[in-house]
Amino acid sequence: MAGDGESWGARAICRTADPEELFVEGAAQNRAKAVCTGCPVRTECLAYALDNRIEFGIWGGMSERERRALLRRRPTVTSWRCLLEAARTQHNRQESPEGDERRASAS
């Protein structure tokens, strides 16, 4: 979640979408969530919505219902930004071919 403040919004895929398309109900939410697929700042967006308890709309590929459920399951999380950043870093290490080479050479 590199960068300052909320500068990630300028890189979001949805920045050019009609905002009304992201604040929908029912089956239309699945179409709205599809906008987030492949977005380079999806994690930052989701963390922002979770940390700020945003109640409406699709953020980071999750509906308000999905975010509420996640918040209920993890009530002790004080910073979703930090948690998601750490998870992404760990995932990138595991997926990195360089990480595989380093692990192999350390053996």
Side-chain angles (χ1 to χ4, degrees), residues 4-38:
D4 56 311
E6 296 165 31
S7 63
W8 55 265
R11 296 177 294 148
I13 287 177
C14 65
R15 73 185 175 284
T16 58
D18 178 359
E20 296 295 320
E21 293 176 13
L22 299 173
F23 292 86
V24 293
E25 296 179 0
Q29 288 183 334
N30 290 329
R31 288 189 300 277
K33 289 193 290 186
V35 171
C36 302
T37 303

Side-chain angles (χ1 to χ4, degrees), residues 76-97:
T76 59
V77 174
T78 57
S79 172
W80 285 94
R81 181 179 181 272
C82 290
L83 179 72
L84 294 176
E85 182 178 59
R88 181 171 57 191
T89 299
Q90 179 65 27
H91 174 76
N92 288 343
R93 275 193 209 123
Q94 291 174 346
E95 294 294 315
S96 169

Side-chain angles (χ1 to χ4, degrees), residues 92-107:
N92 288 343
R93 275 193 209 123
Q94 291 174 346
E95 294 294 315
S96 169
E98 293 171 354
D100 291 343
E101 291 171 16
R102 274 182 276 181
R103 282 191 293 274
S105 65
S107 300

